[in-house]
Amino acid sequence: MAAIITTETEAIAVRSVIPAAGKGRATRLIRRFTAPIVVVVICLVVFTWISITPLDSIEQRTLNPAYIIARVREHLVLSVTAAALVSVLAIPAGIIVYRSSSRVFHAIIFGLANIGQATPAVGVVILLAIVWQTGFTTALVALVAYSFLPVLRNTLTGLEQVDASVRESARGMGMTPNQVLRRIELPLASPVILAGLRTSLVFAVGVATIATFINAGGLGDMIINGLKLQRFPVLLVGAVLVACIAVLIDWVASLVEDAVKPRGL
Amino acid sequence: MTEFSFDSLIVFLNRRWDDIFALVAEHIAVVAISLVIALVVGVGIGLLVWDKPISRSIAITSAGVAITIPSLALLAILSPVLGLGWGPTVVALVFYSLLPIVRNTVVGLREVPSHIIESASGMGMTPARVLLQTQLPIAWPIILTGVRVAAQLTIGIAAIAAYVAGPGLGSYIFKGLSSLGSKNALNFALTGTVAVVLLALLVDGLFVLITRYTTSRGLRA
């Protein structure tokens, strides 16, 4: 049976282990493709609605393919770059912390991660913009700083939960500590580490929406323009697109997660 | 670019502490109202679906998709319908609280050992009484864990809700942004952010107490 949710990261991560409704192949396929199908249907509905609604000049300036594609690209570049940087930085950092095997150090990391999780993303983004500068780089740094600790913590948790007897057997077979890490501990920890990365990716899409406040582009621009100019179609398209991107990215990440998972698990 | 100055922060806090406390109170109020609503709705949904595989899967999957939606997008969609201020904020916070609460309710109810349920029915309890008087108390600490997670999530999201004129400390964070370049920009944003962090940690501690005093006496460690 699936575990209970005890932290926010888990709140997002555990979605992948929802107990299946049925065991049949058909049910599995339906479950697997529900998310993309719903996303496509919603996008089509919104597209049709926009194309039959008469648009005024302000709306036309935003609701055209060139503008929308530019915003989507900014949004994707920001969130994917942030998630990639986090995985390159936080996973090795997690391994180093794990290797240091100092209880105090581990406790400090977990404590810091808890405080980090209590920090509102919008606060981090805006504070950084005030003390440094506005724009894309600031948003990227804020995003990486924000996801760094949760991913590090998941890496540490994943490595720590590896059964001690498994580790001993590996050592007993004559593996060096590095071999144990690469061939035993990391593969066994990979589901937890990947779940952390997936969460940080979904989170990055959400926080990238806020990046509009500090002039870093993305689909948040459309939402904010729609709100400020009271143009509901603009707001709706921006919000629906960003929600669809979040759901789709999460879906792609779940496919990757399944593909990368060691077969024995 | 603003330099941090401790003296100016002290002056700032001195002049506005009443304002800050009012915002903290608003923040607590909006989160508390949303959590109570989410608790009633979430546990209700959990009680309805926990033993039905298909509706259980639908409920948890849709709550899982819901939590993926960026909060600014949801707040923006809600605002033309519900206006600005408390309305969209409470609805959005309830929306994001549902996943941890529903899921933990379902898992909690399902993980009650079957011999306990059998004993309860053996004593002549009806299925509804078994559910409400045996399973629910045993699952309660797990449900509360879900509420605690929801509290942490919603305290952060409430800060974003200030953009649609929602109540709470987020308004200080946004005031910092809108006064970018002025003397107090950093003080506003820093006060808002740090207050949210402290509030979140405080509420987390509070939940330890709540769990202790609302758990059935026979189950307390």
Side-chain angles (χ1 to χ4, degrees):
Chain A
M1 189 59 218
I4 56 161
I5 298 175
T6 51
T7 65
E8 283 170 77
T9 325
E10 277 166 47
I12 301 178
V14 287
R15 284 162 313 153
S16 54
V17 285
I18 291 159
K23 289 190 173 65
R25 195 180 153 75
T27 346
R28 270 213 306 277
L29 274 179
I30 292 172
R31 282 168 44 79
R32 167 123 291 177
F33 289 100
T34 313
I37 290 169
V38 171
V39 164
V40 168
V41 170
I42 289 177
C43 284
L44 279 179
V45 169
V46 171
F47 179 77
T48 327
W49 180 66
I50 292 297
S51 52
I52 57 170
T53 323
L55 300 175
D56 65 21
S57 67
I58 294 176
E59 287 160 1
Q60 277 167 9
R61 229 165 285 157
T62 312
L63 293 175
N64 60 66
Y67 183 88
I68 293 177
I69 289 171
R71 296 293 87 73
V72 171
R73 182 181 297 143
E74 281 169 2
H75 206 101
L76 286 178
V77 167
L78 182 56
S79 27
V80 174
T81 317
L85 277 176
V86 165
S87 62
V88 173
L89 296 173
I91 295 177
I95 295 174
I96 292 170
V97 174
Y98 172 69
R99 274 301 182 77
S100 79
S101 66
S102 139
R103 290 273 144 236
V104 183
F105 196 29
H106 288 205
I108 291 174
I109 292 291
F110 280 108
L112 279 179
N114 282 341
I115 295 175
Q117 213 150 41
T119 315
V122 65
V124 176
V125 171
I126 289 178
L127 272 178
L128 207 54
I130 292 175
V131 296
W132 189 26
Q133 58 179 37
T134 56
F136 179 85
T137 325
T138 312
L140 189 63
V141 171
L143 265 173
V144 172
Y146 197 72
S147 314
F148 183 79
L149 283 172
V151 174
L152 195 159
R153 183 178 61 182
N154 262 39
T155 310
L156 202 52
T157 313
L159 288 171
E160 276 179 353
Q161 69 167 25
V162 173
D163 204 336
S165 56
V166 175
R167 212 175 284 137
E168 269 171 44
S169 323
R171 298 279 293 142
M173 285 167 67
M175 288 189 179
T176 63
N178 275 329
Q179 280 176 325
V180 177
L181 180 72
R182 261 186 304 115
R183 295 178 42 188
I184 307 289
E185 291 175 326
L186 278 180
L188 283 174
S190 65
V192 183
I193 299 176
L194 286 173
L197 271 183
R198 179 177 165 198
T199 311
S200 84
L201 186 58
V202 173
F203 224 88
V205 175
V207 181
T209 324
I210 301 170
T212 179
F213 294 138
I214 62 164
N215 198 25
L219 285 161
D221 281 6
M222 290 182 78
I223 299 177
I224 298 307
N225 284 345
L227 265 176
K228 280 190 177 153
L229 307 173
Q230 304 214 346
R231 292 298 186 278
F232 184 63
V234 177
L235 182 166
L236 186 81
V237 171
V240 167
L241 272 180
V242 83
C244 288
I245 288 179
V247 173
L248 274 186
I249 278 203
D250 183 48
W251 178 71
V252 173
S254 77
L255 293 186
V256 173
E257 222 177 85
D258 282 353
V260 182
K261 200 176 281 179
R263 232 170 300 152
L265 298 175
Chain B
M1 178 95 183
T2 318
E3 291 294 331
F4 175 72
S5 138
F6 193 71
D7 293 340
S8 97
L9 181 67
I10 297 294
V11 173
F12 177 88
L13 291 177
N14 250 326
R15 286 204 186 135
R16 290 169 219 259
W17 62 269
D18 49 342
D19 198 21
I20 296 168
F21 274 107
L23 288 176
V24 170
E26 272 182 17
H27 212 100
I28 295 175
V30 76
V31 168
I33 292 171
S34 313
L35 284 180
V36 169
I37 299 175
L39 181 65
V40 173
V41 177
V43 172
I45 295 175
L47 286 173
L48 285 177
V49 303
W50 74 278
D51 56 347
K52 303 178 191 70
I54 293 180
S55 28
R56 181 175 72 218
S57 185
I58 292 174
I60 295 181
T61 312
S62 32
V65 172
I67 213 169
T68 346
I69 297 172
S71 40
L72 186 65
L74 182 70
L75 287 164
I77 292 179
L78 290 173
S79 65
V81 190
L82 298 168
L84 299 171
W86 287 72
T89 311
V90 170
V91 172
L93 296 191
V94 170
F95 186 84
Y96 288 111
S97 304
L98 284 179
L99 173 72
I101 298 179
V102 171
R103 192 187 161 87
N104 278 18
T105 307
V106 168
V107 175
L109 290 175
R110 274 164 62 89
E111 282 195 341
V112 176
S114 57
H115 62 260
I116 293 180
I117 299 178
E118 272 168 37
S119 320
S121 13
M123 287 169 64
M125 290 172 122
T126 60
R129 276 190 66 195
V130 173
L131 186 62
L132 294 178
Q133 295 189 350
T134 307
Q135 281 176 280
L136 199 58
I138 292 178
W140 184 246
I142 299 179
I143 297 173
L144 267 185
T145 307
V147 181
R148 202 193 78 213
V149 174
Q152 297 296 306
L153 271 174
T154 49
I155 289 174
I157 294 171
I160 298 174
Y163 195 76
V164 291
L169 290 158
S171 62
Y172 259 39
I173 300 177
F174 282 105
K175 226 179 250 178
L177 179 70
S178 56
S179 57
L180 191 77
S182 86
K183 227 173 123 188
N184 268 336
L186 184 60
N187 291 337
F188 269 120
L190 197 63
T191 308
T193 310
V194 172
V196 170
V197 175
L198 292 179
L199 191 60
L201 295 175
L202 203 72
V203 168
D204 217 35
L206 191 66
F207 265 96
V208 176
L209 290 181
I210 296 179
T211 311
R212 166 131 188 87
Y213 287 105
T214 56
T215 304
S216 170
R217 211 165 296 148
L219 296 170
R220 281 183 207 163

